[in-house]
Amino acid sequence: VQLQASGGGLVQAGDSLRLSCAASGHTFTNYAIGWFRRPPGKERDFVAAISQSGGYLYYADSVKGRFTISRDNDKNTVYLQINSLKPEDTAVYYCAAREYYVAGVRSDYEYWGQGTQVTVSS
């Protein structure tokens, strides 16, 4: 499966942003999708994940309440809604896919998109 992340940009603190992850190449509903982010100078960390049907959601504690993951299987797309953006949300955001269950570990994901940059100014 090929993944294409988009929707990043330069925003101000307090703004909202919706990232998209468009998939192609294989049956989209075979895959759980995760979002990760890599802040400047740091490791790539788990943000959120969604099951194949969209019925199970999993979030990192640090983003609960501000981030919402969803998917539209008719459009082969997963979204990450980010509200009340903070400067510490500045990162490259990646989407990734894996078969089987939702996971929060980077190495569990087999397929990766190229990333989209989110920069939050204070």
Side-chain angles (χ1 to χ4, degrees), residues 1-7 19-26 28 33-35 70-72 75-80 94-97 111-114 116:
V1 63
Q2 290 80 48
L3 303 172
Q4 178 79 31
S6 62
L19 307 183
S20 298
C21 175
S24 61
H26 284 271
F28 183 59
I33 304 294
W35 282 98
S70 62
R71 68 191 290 162
D72 185 337
K75 296 183 178 179
N76 288 0
T77 302
V78 170
Y79 303 99
L80 185 69
Y94 300 88
C95 58
Y111 307 98
W112 290 83
Q114 86 293 353
T116 185

Side-chain angles (χ1 to χ4, degrees), residues 45-119:
D45 290 330
F46 171 73
V47 173
I50 189 167
S51 63
Q52 285 82 343
S53 68
Y56 182 76
L57 310 179
Y58 179 37
Y59 295 96
D61 288 342
S62 60
V63 305
K64 285 180 181 176
R66 292 194 302 121
F67 287 38
T68 303
I69 190 169
S70 62
R71 68 191 290 162
D72 185 337
N73 285 340
D74 290 335
K75 296 183 178 179
N76 288 0
T77 302
V78 170
Y79 303 99
L80 185 69
Q81 177 72 35
I82 310 174
N83 297 327
S84 302
L85 277 153
K86 304 176 181 180
E88 51 264 42
D89 294 320
T90 295
V92 179
Y93 284 74
Y94 300 88
C95 58
R98 73 185 300 266
E99 294 184 276
Y100 312 117
Y101 300 107
V102 162
V105 177
R106 184 176 62 191
S107 59
D108 284 340
Y109 287 82
E110 298 130 338
Y111 307 98
W112 290 83
Q114 86 293 353
T116 185
Q117 175 72 47
V118 173
T119 303

